[in-house]
């Protein structure tokens, strides 16, 4: 089993739709969780950190479920500009005392007019 | 200033060349990262420096040699690369790799260097 897994998609959704992505992680000791978006041929950009209690930023809501070991991202009222690849990132402390970063495989979203 | 800069933007090199990629940040971050990204794949972690010391090396071949001259600069020296090393090389920084917690581990990425090895 991969450390961090995502459905690669693509998710093709009409403008205005609500879409949700999940990301599962294998190590229960994981400590920090993030969502990044990456546009084609660009660098990843931080979309939002994921708080234990869940958090919202405008049309975006992130949730963490430690019991089932997954994080989710909900996008409401999709815009054409939301078309991108969404990457989840999980951090865990390694044996050397450093945070090790693991990227998920990414989920591609295409918002259609 | 929340910017990470990388030079050059593009690089074409032969298998016998020696070249270097450069990365700079002025956010006071103490962790800096090198990633390799192939098309349609997620970034793969290569190296991490924490307080200018190498903290993580993900078993990267020795033809890639990282260097952290100071807390703002990160270099990646390339020598005798193979065509399969062609990729986008991304640099990132975060506040502090030794601490758990969202704020310390949010990463900011540079625009990358697109490398082609002939």
């Amino acid at each position: 089993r991969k450390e961090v897994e995502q459905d690669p998609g693509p998710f093709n959704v009409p403008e205005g739709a609500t879409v949700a992505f999940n990301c599962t992680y294998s190590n229960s000791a994981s400590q920090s969780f993030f969502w990044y978006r990456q546009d084609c041929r660009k660098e990843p950009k931080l979309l939002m950190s994921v708080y234990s209690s869940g958090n919202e930023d405008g049309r975006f809501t992130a949730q963490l479920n430690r019991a089932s070991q997954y994080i989710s991202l909900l996008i409401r009222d999709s815009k054409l500009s939301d078309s991108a690849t969404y990457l989840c990132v999980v951090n865990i402390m390694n044996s050397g005392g450093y945070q090790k970063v693991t990227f998920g495989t990414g989920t591609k979203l295409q918002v259609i007019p | 200033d929340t910017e990470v800069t990388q030079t050059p933007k593009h690089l074409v090199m032969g298998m016998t060349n020696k070249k270097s990629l450069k990365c700079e940040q002025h956010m006071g971050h103490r962790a800096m990262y090198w990633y390799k990204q192939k098309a349609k794949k997620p970034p793969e972690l290569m190296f991490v420096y924490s307080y200018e010391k190498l903290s993580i090396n993900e078993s990267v071949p020795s033809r890639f040699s990282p260097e952290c001259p100071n807390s703002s600069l990160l270099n990646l020296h390339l020598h005798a690369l193979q065509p399969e090393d062609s990729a986008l090389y991304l640099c990132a920084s975060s506040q502090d790799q030794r601490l758990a917690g969202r704020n310390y581990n949010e990463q900011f990425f540079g625009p990358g260097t697109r490398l082609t090895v002939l």
Side-chain angles (χ1 to χ4, degrees):
Chain A
R1 184 183 171 186
K2 287 184 183 169
E3 289 181 66
V4 182
E5 287 194 86
Q6 296 180 251
D7 181 341
F11 283 56
N12 296 315
V13 302
E15 264 186 295
T18 295
V19 62
F21 311 133
N22 279 348
C23 167
T24 58
Y25 59 94
S26 59
N27 194 321
S28 60
S30 299
Q31 295 174 308
S32 307
F33 308 88
F34 307 90
W35 284 103
Y36 286 77
R37 72 169 276 167
Q38 187 171 26
D39 294 284
C40 189
R41 298 182 70 81
K42 297 281 191 182
E43 74 273 22
K45 290 199 165 134
L46 179 68
L47 181 65
M48 54 200 302
S49 303
V50 186
Y51 299 5
S52 296
S53 53
N55 48 302
E56 190 173 304
D57 183 2
R59 297 181 293 111
F60 300 86
T61 300
Q63 299 273 357
L64 167 63
N65 185 319
R66 283 196 185 273
S68 301
Q69 294 182 203
Y70 74 86
I71 61 173
S72 63
L73 178 68
L74 182 79
I75 306 176
R76 288 181 297 279
D77 188 23
S78 299
K79 312 286 185 200
L80 294 176
S81 57
D82 293 333
S83 298
T85 295
Y86 290 83
L87 297 154
C88 71
V89 171
V90 175
N91 280 29
I92 185 167
M93 188 78 78
N94 70 8
S95 57
Y98 293 102
Q99 290 288 316
K100 183 171 177 297
V101 179
T102 303
F103 273 78
T105 45
T107 297
K108 186 167 180 180
L109 172 66
Q110 186 70 48
V111 181
I112 304 162
Chain B
D1 182 3
T2 57
E3 195 180 48
V4 177
T5 59
Q6 288 187 245
T7 56
K9 283 191 166 53
H10 300 274
L11 179 62
V12 179
M13 60 187 289
M15 289 190 283
T16 57
N17 292 157
K18 283 186 185 181
K19 296 285 184 186
S20 296
L21 309 185
K22 296 187 183 300
C23 174
E24 191 166 4
Q25 57 87 15
H26 293 289
M27 293 178 275
H29 288 176
R30 303 313 300 266
M32 295 186 78
Y33 307 74
W34 279 117
Y35 290 89
K36 172 183 176 180
Q37 188 173 27
K38 302 280 261 185
K40 300 188 192 301
K41 297 285 187 186
E44 285 177 53
L45 185 64
M46 299 174 72
F47 302 104
V48 187
Y49 274 82
S50 176
Y51 287 79
E52 294 122 71
K53 291 189 177 166
L54 185 65
S55 58
I56 292 180
N57 176 345
E58 291 285 83
S59 303
V60 179
S62 60
R63 57 186 184 268
F64 295 92
S65 174
E67 180 198 18
C68 189
N70 61 54
S71 60
S72 300
L73 291 173
L74 186 66
N75 298 324
L76 186 63
H77 303 298
L78 314 173
H79 174 51
L81 294 195
Q82 304 296 310
E84 59 265 28
D85 296 322
S86 299
L88 179 67
Y89 287 84
L90 292 159
C91 172
S93 70
S94 67
Q95 269 196 47
D96 197 318
Q97 194 203 5
R98 299 173 309 180
L99 301 174
R102 300 179 289 274
N103 293 343
Y104 300 112
N105 295 291
E106 292 174 345
Q107 292 185 66
F108 295 84
F109 283 82
T113 293
R114 199 161 292 279
L115 173 68
T116 302
V117 182
L118 302 175

